[in-house]
Amino acid sequence: MSTVADREASDAQQSAETAPAVASTPTRAAHARAVFAAYLALTKPRIIELLLITTVPAMFLAAHGLPSIVTMVIVVVGGALAAGSANALNCYIDRDIDQVMRRTSTRPLVRHTVSPRAALVFGLVIGVTSVLLIGLTTNWLAGGLTLAAIFYYDVVYTLLLKRRTAANTFWGGACGSAPVLIGWAAVTGGLGITPWLVFAVVFFWQPPHFWALAIKFKKDYAAAGVPMLPVVASLRRVLVESAIYSWLMVACSIALWPVATSWVYGAVAVVLGALFLFEVHRLLHREKRGQKIKPMYLFHWSITYLTLLFIALAVDAFL
C-alpha cells in the first residue's frame, strides 16, 4: 500500500507531466485559428459576399419566387467555393505585386503565413470541388459556367489582361458578373435575355466601382507596374468613362423592368440609378472645376447601390 508521501509524489509527477499539455493547448488552438484565418483571407470573403448578393436575387427572379432550397444552398456554397478558389489563385499569381502595394501588403502570401504551393493547392482543390458540386447536383451548364468564371478570372484577367492593358477592369468584369448566370442556369437549366440583362447591370457597374478604388490607390498600382486606367490616363478621362459606364448600367437596370419585373423594382431602379448618376457627375463636375474629389465615396455608394438594387429585385420576384 502506498503512503501519503508516495501518493503526493505521484500526483506531483502527473501534474508535471500534464502541465505542458495543458499549457500548450491554447497555443495549438491559437495556431489553428491563425491558419484558418490565413486560408480564409486567401479567399477574400468580402468579395464573395458581394457576389452572393447578386446571385441569390437572380435565382429568385429565375424561379419567380423561392427556388428549391437545396438548389439555393448548393449554389451559395458552390459559388462561395468558386469565388474563393479564383481569389486564392489570384493571390498566388499576384504574390509578387501584392508585396509592393500597400493595399495588399497584409495578404497571407506576403506575410508568409501560407506558402505559395499551399495556396495553389488550396485554390485548385476548392475550385474543382465547386465545379463538381454545382455540375453534379444542378446541371452542367451551371457547372461549366462556374469553371469558365474561375478560368476567366485567373487566366484571362489576372495573367493576360491585368498587367498588359488599361482595359483590364472592363474586360475583367465578365467573371464578376458570371454568378448571376450560374444561379439562373442552376434554377432553369438555360439562359435567356433576362439573365443577360442582369449580367449587364453588374458588368457595367464594375468599372466605375473599381476605378474609384484605383484612383485612391493610384500610386500603389503605378509602383507595381499595373496599368489601371487611373495610372495611365488623366483623372478626367477616368471620370468621363465612369460616367459612360454608369449610364449603360442604369439603362440595363431599367430595361430589366418591362422584361421581367413589376413597378416595384422599376421604381427602385430609377431612383437608385438617378442617385448613382448624380454622384458620378458630381465628381466629374468637381474635377472640371479643379476641386478635390473623394472617389471612395463613390466606391462605397456603388456597393450600397448594387445591394439595394438586388434586394429590390429579390422582393419583386415574389410579387
Side-chain angles (χ1 to χ4, degrees):
M1 179 179 290
S2 61
T3 64
V4 173
D6 291 335
R7 289 197 297 272
E8 289 178 348
S10 177
D11 291 342
Q13 181 179 3
Q14 289 178 0
S15 297
E17 292 173 350
T18 57
V22 173
S24 66
T25 300
T27 303
R28 288 199 299 269
H31 176 70
R33 287 195 297 270
V35 170
F36 175 80
Y39 278 94
L40 182 64
L42 280 177
T43 67
K44 305 178 187 178
R46 294 183 68 180
I47 296 178
I48 294 176
E49 291 174 8
L50 196 59
L51 294 176
L52 296 180
I53 283 172
T54 60
T55 305
V56 174
M59 295 177 71
F60 287 165
L61 185 61
H64 302 290
L66 187 67
S68 162
I69 298 298
V70 173
T71 300
M72 192 160 57
V73 170
I74 287 169
V75 171
V76 167
V77 173
L81 290 174
S85 167
N87 291 331
L89 295 174
N90 170 266
C91 287
Y92 171 79
I93 296 168
D94 279 350
R95 63 191 184 280
D96 59 330
I97 61 174
D98 280 349
Q99 62 186 346
V100 177
M101 298 175 60
R102 179 168 56 91
R103 184 174 69 87
T104 58
S105 60
T106 59
R107 287 181 177 172
L109 291 179
V110 178
R111 299 179 66 183
H112 305 291
T113 52
V114 177
S115 71
R117 182 178 182 278
L120 176 61
V121 172
F122 173 69
L124 291 173
V125 168
I126 63 174
V128 170
T129 301
S130 69
V131 173
L132 292 177
L133 175 64
I134 292 177
L136 291 172
T137 57
T138 61
N139 57 73
W140 282 108
L141 174 59
L145 289 169
T146 303
L147 176 61
I150 297 172
F151 178 86
Y152 191 99
Y153 183 68
D154 290 312
V155 177
V156 178
Y157 170 71
T158 305
L159 282 175
L160 301 180
L161 297 176
K162 184 174 181 178
R163 307 190 195 197
R164 289 178 172 84
T165 172
N168 50 18
T169 299
F170 174 77
W171 293 112
C175 46
S177 310
V180 300
L181 300 181
I182 295 169
W184 191 282
V187 171
T188 66
L191 297 172
I193 186 173
T194 300
W196 283 110
L197 279 174
V198 181
F199 173 94
V201 172
V202 184
F203 181 80
F204 289 124
W205 168 86
Q206 289 181 88
H209 165 74
F210 191 77
W211 284 338
L213 184 69
I215 292 171
K216 171 74 173 178
F217 294 99
K218 175 181 175 179
K219 293 181 179 179
D220 265 7
Y221 287 111
V226 178
M228 292 295 175
L229 190 63
V231 174
V232 301
S234 67
L235 178 59
R236 180 169 301 183
R237 179 186 164 188
V238 175
L239 294 176
V240 167
E241 291 200 23
S242 294
I244 292 171
Y245 291 126
S246 297
W247 276 98
L248 290 171
M249 173 195 73
V250 172
C252 290
S253 71
I254 295 175
L256 189 61
W257 177 4
V259 172
T261 66
S262 75
W263 66 269
V264 173
Y265 164 82
V268 173
V270 169
V271 172
L272 289 177
L275 292 173
F276 196 103
L277 293 173
F278 172 81
E279 179 56 28
V280 172
H281 283 281
R282 187 175 72 87
L283 288 177
L284 182 58
H285 178 69
R286 289 182 64 87
E287 191 282 330
K288 287 180 178 179
R289 297 182 60 179
Q291 298 175 328
K292 184 178 180 180
I293 68 167
K294 297 180 179 179
M296 291 305 288
Y297 183 83
L298 175 62
F299 174 79
H300 293 299
W301 163 239
S302 66
I303 296 174
T304 303
Y305 164 85
L306 196 69
T307 303
L308 294 178
L309 184 73
F310 275 80
I311 288 174
L313 191 66
V315 171
D316 194 278
F318 288 92
L319 300 179

